[in-house]
Amino acid sequence: MKLFSKKSKTLLGVDISSTAVKLVELHQAGAGWRLENYVIRPLPEKAVQEKNIQDTASVAECVRQAVTLLKPRDRSAAVAVAGSAVITKVIEMNAHLNDSELENQIVVEADQYIPYPLSEVAIDFERQPSDDPDAETVDVLLAACRRENVDSRVQALQEGGLEVNVVDIEAFAMERACGLLESQLDGMPEMLAIVDIGANAVTLYILRNGRTLYTREQLFGGKQLLEQIQLQLSLSPAEADRALRKGELPEEFATDVLPGFREQLVDQINRALQFFFSSSHYNDVDRIVLAGGVAVLEGLAGQLEESTGTAVMVADPFRNVEIGSKVNSAALAADAPALMIASGLALRKRY
């Protein structure tokens, strides 16, 4: 499996989170894109823990159900491993080496950068752009991941009826999906913060001029709120998640519970931003984008904007994308922020 590729045909984007499998099918439509359809299928509890697949059979069955509902034109897919499972490092190499020679040299030197036996890791690399065509050296991005993390995802997709063409990294998929937001952002800001709020974690991505500069994950997410919704309203996890995303909660719950959770979440996001500022020479970002299933929480964007003094928007990767006839547009409005990684994977090129 390759983490980087050059060819032009797109793939089915498959995002395996801790609570759901999300499939997105995008196709080129003229100079833009068309969303053919998408599917979100909830996973059994504990099938995926801390972004590691614990129950491959359950994940595979969830993928199979999603594929049956989606009926994609092509079953070639891209999936991602979590950034926390990946070691990335930019290394300097001889610019005159071809890709085959680079690969051989990297394998020889990889043990300097990877704290695992090479037999246990999957490795890939990509040359980085250079402004100097005559430079003697070139920066090469090295990515390495424990093979078990890759193999479990490949196995789940294959057993679910898909052909895995690319294994990507979540941060790169998020970066790619941000290209769909440019018109909403009036052009890509120099410093952009993406806050992906999932069930178990808040992941901060900092992009500088559209390229990933920094990521950080904090263990806090929508699970705490969903548990309260399930308990008080006697709902299943899937029903609680649907009610939250669609704004179908009773008024008393919205007034008694949501404000406290919202304040905790804003504190977590501020803390993540402060970690970035304290570990770099940057002290501000130009824009904040909220992604993930909790991004649509009523009042969150406004409260975060007031707290940070920075403009905040909720991600909608499909606002300027042609919507196919099979898509439920009403459901998409609530689901779109949670589909950023799947969309970024769907934008991948076939290897």
Side-chain angles (χ1 to χ4, degrees):
M1 289 313 137
K2 291 288 185 178
L3 297 171
F4 310 109
S5 57
K6 303 297 183 185
K7 296 185 181 180
S8 61
K9 194 171 181 181
T10 53
L11 298 160
L12 186 66
V14 183
D15 176 20
I16 301 174
S17 72
S18 58
T19 58
V21 169
K22 305 158 195 173
L23 272 63
V24 167
E25 184 180 14
L26 284 171
H27 291 288
Q28 288 187 305
W33 296 94
R34 179 175 64 254
L35 174 64
E36 298 292 347
N37 206 357
Y38 76 96
V39 171
I40 299 176
R41 295 294 297 171
L43 281 165
E45 189 175 359
K46 297 182 180 179
V48 177
Q49 292 184 288
E50 297 181 358
K51 299 192 176 181
N52 295 317
I53 295 178
Q54 304 296 324
D55 185 348
T56 304
S58 292
V59 176
E61 177 58 28
C62 192
V63 171
R64 186 179 298 109
Q65 293 171 8
V67 171
T68 300
L69 290 169
L70 191 69
K71 298 181 175 65
R73 296 183 193 175
D74 191 326
R75 294 197 173 198
S76 295
V79 69
V81 292
S84 56
V86 179
I87 297 170
T88 59
K89 187 173 182 63
V90 176
I91 57 179
E92 195 174 83
M93 304 289 289
N94 186 329
H96 302 295
L97 298 178
N98 61 34
D99 283 354
S100 178
E101 292 168 333
L102 269 180
E103 182 174 5
N104 291 334
Q105 190 66 32
I106 285 171
V107 169
V108 169
E109 299 181 8
D111 58 358
Q112 299 178 42
Y113 314 109
I114 301 169
Y116 309 114
L118 294 185
S119 60
E120 297 179 6
V121 298
I123 300 174
D124 204 2
F125 66 93
E126 183 180 66
R127 293 173 187 261
Q128 299 301 286
S130 174
D131 295 329
D132 182 3
D134 299 319
E136 291 296 315
T137 61
V138 62
D139 286 340
V140 175
L141 176 61
L142 171 67
C145 178
R146 292 291 291 265
R147 193 171 294 278
E148 61 192 33
N149 291 318
V150 174
D151 291 347
S152 62
R153 280 162 170 74
V154 172
Q155 182 181 348
L157 265 64
Q158 289 178 338
E159 292 181 5
L162 296 176
E163 175 190 343
V164 183
N165 190 267
V166 168
V167 178
D168 207 331
I169 300 169
E170 286 183 355
F172 296 162
M174 183 65 79
E175 175 185 305
R176 200 175 303 111
C178 284
L180 296 172
L181 305 179
E182 277 201 60
S183 59
Q184 297 170 247
L185 294 165
D186 298 321
M188 188 61 67
E190 180 182 356
M191 296 295 294
L192 176 66
I194 311 290
V195 182
D196 187 10
I197 312 164
N200 299 306
V202 173
T203 306
L204 173 66
Y205 302 89
I206 302 292
L207 275 63
R208 183 174 183 272
N209 295 322
R211 301 301 298 267
T212 303
L213 177 67
Y214 172 94
T215 64
R216 181 181 175 83
E217 183 179 290
Q218 295 186 181
L219 295 179
F220 182 89
K223 184 178 180 181
Q224 291 92 333
L225 180 60
L226 289 174
E227 287 174 347
Q228 293 184 56
I229 295 173
Q230 292 171 55
L231 180 64
Q232 295 193 24
L233 303 181
S234 300
L235 299 175
S236 70
E239 290 169 337
D241 180 63
R242 192 179 307 115
L244 176 62
R245 287 188 288 106
K246 294 187 176 182
E248 297 173 349
L249 296 171
E251 184 177 345
E252 62 270 20
F253 192 87
T255 55
D256 296 343
V257 178
L258 292 187
F261 175 79
R262 215 166 33 226
E263 185 172 343
Q264 286 181 289
L265 185 51
V266 168
D267 286 345
Q268 289 288 332
I269 296 170
N270 272 310
R271 188 173 296 122
L273 287 167
Q274 289 306 315
F275 271 118
F276 166 63
F277 298 143
S278 65
S279 63
S280 70
H281 63 272
Y282 301 100
N283 55 24
D284 200 6
V285 293
D286 301 311
R287 199 78 178 266
I288 299 173
V289 174
L290 297 178
V294 187
V296 294
L297 188 65
E298 184 179 356
L300 176 60
Q303 188 167 339
L304 181 61
E305 185 167 313
E306 183 178 351
S307 174
T308 61
T310 302
V312 177
M313 62 172 266
V314 176
D316 182 359
F318 310 115
R319 181 173 297 180
N320 295 298
V321 168
E322 182 183 334
I323 305 300
S325 59
K326 295 188 291 185
V327 177
N328 182 330
S329 297
L332 180 63
D335 293 333
L339 297 171
M340 284 287 284
I341 288 176
S343 298
L345 290 169
L347 293 171
R348 272 301 303 253
K349 306 302 181 185
R350 187 186 300 272
Y351 173 69

